[in-house]
């Protein structure tokens, strides 16, 4: 299996259960760890960070993209970012299922985006269920928030620090808590 076939497979939310898929993920993980070692291991200016992150995700990011390393991912090739996106330090993206980040989005320290679930059945626990995370435009995700697979965050929404988001967040709403619930409107 090649990367394009894998990305098409997970885009359709099909299970990851074949050895060939696991082998591909491990090979890409090796490449990603090499890039992250460079990215996280020493000082880089903003242009160098954009270049390394573009290499990590396999496509160019806009000149307005900003990130403060360190940054961690176990795949990297299924992340798409818009313009004027800011990712603060120590974020962890598990992106096999797909992560899309809209324009003008701010992601705080230590945010986790997780797009995979294991099967609930103990004898099938190695089977992975991919589901994308879609973050709209003008979103602010507070420090230490966790966004789980299959969640869409609407445009203009705010995810409070420390929240665990298990369900879609409507546009222009503030969510907080574990699990996150709507607490007010964005004014």
């Amino acid at each position: 299996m090649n990367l394009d076939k894998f990305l098409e497979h997970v885009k359709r939310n099909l299970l990851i259960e074949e050895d060939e898929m696991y082998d591909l993920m491990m090979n890409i993980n090796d490449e990603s760890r090499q890039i992250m070692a460079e990215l996280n291991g020493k000082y880089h200016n903003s242009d160098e960070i954009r270049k390394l992150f573009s290499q990590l995700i396999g496509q160019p990011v806009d000149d307005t993209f900003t990130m403060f390393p360190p940054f961690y991912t176990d795949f990297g090739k299924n992340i798409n970012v818009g313009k004027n996106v800011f990712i603060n330090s120590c974020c962890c993206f598990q992106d096999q299922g797909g992560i899309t980040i809209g324009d003008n989005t701010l992601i705080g320290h230590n945010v986790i985006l997780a797009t995979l679930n294991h099967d609930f059945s103990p004898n099938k626990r190695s089977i992975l269920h991919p589901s994308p995370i879609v973050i709209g435009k003008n979103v602010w995700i507070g420090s230490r928030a966790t966004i789980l697979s299959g969640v869409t965050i609407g445009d203009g929404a705010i995810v409070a620090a420390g929240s665990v988001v298990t369900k879609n967040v409507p546009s222009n709403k503030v969510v907080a808590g574990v699990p996150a619930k709507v607490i007010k409107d964005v004014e």
Side-chain angles (χ1 to χ4, degrees):
M1 173 168 283
N2 65 29
L3 178 60
D4 290 335
K5 287 182 182 178
F6 178 85
L7 294 175
E8 183 58 37
H9 182 87
V10 296
K11 186 177 184 180
R12 296 178 14 228
N13 291 340
L14 298 175
L15 301 178
I16 300 171
E17 56 185 327
E18 297 175 19
D19 289 340
E20 193 176 6
M21 288 185 213
Y22 289 116
D23 290 344
L24 176 73
M25 288 192 310
M26 291 306 294
N27 289 337
I28 291 173
N29 177 267
D30 285 343
E31 177 186 327
S32 296
R33 282 185 288 124
Q34 290 175 9
I35 297 167
M36 285 183 295
E38 174 65 26
L39 176 67
N40 298 335
K42 63 181 183 178
Y43 170 80
H44 296 283
N45 67 34
S46 296
D47 289 335
E48 293 167 334
I49 290 170
R50 278 189 288 277
K51 182 179 177 183
L52 286 164
F53 193 78
S54 295
Q55 185 180 354
L56 182 64
I57 68 171
Q59 58 185 314
V61 294
D62 192 77
D63 288 344
T64 59
F65 173 82
T66 304
M67 183 176 64
F68 292 168
F71 174 82
Y72 305 97
T73 184
D74 57 356
F75 193 69
K77 300 301 187 221
N78 208 0
I79 300 171
N80 296 288
V81 297
K83 295 178 180 179
N84 202 36
V85 168
F86 173 70
I87 300 172
N88 217 323
S89 60
C90 299
C91 289
C92 298
F93 290 9
Q94 178 196 52
D95 65 293
Q96 288 90 335
I99 294 172
T100 301
I101 303 169
D103 296 344
N104 304 308
T105 290
L106 306 172
I107 299 178
H109 294 90
N110 296 293
V111 167
I112 296 171
L113 305 179
T115 66
L116 294 177
N117 276 319
H118 292 276
D119 201 273
F120 279 20
S121 175
N123 61 345
K124 296 181 181 179
R125 196 67 38 93
S126 64
I127 294 174
L128 300 173
H129 297 256
S131 192
I133 293 172
V134 178
I135 300 169
K137 296 178 180 178
N138 302 302
V139 171
W140 174 21
I141 301 174
S143 295
R144 294 194 185 270
T146 298
I147 315 296
L148 298 182
S149 66
V151 168
T152 296
I153 311 279
D155 293 345
I158 298 172
V159 176
S163 297
V164 176
V165 183
T166 62
K167 296 180 181 173
N168 292 347
V169 176
S171 295
N172 299 309
K173 300 291 182 185
V174 178
V175 297
V178 179
K181 294 180 177 16
V182 174
I183 61 168
K184 65 181 184 177
D185 295 332
V186 173
E187 310 221 356

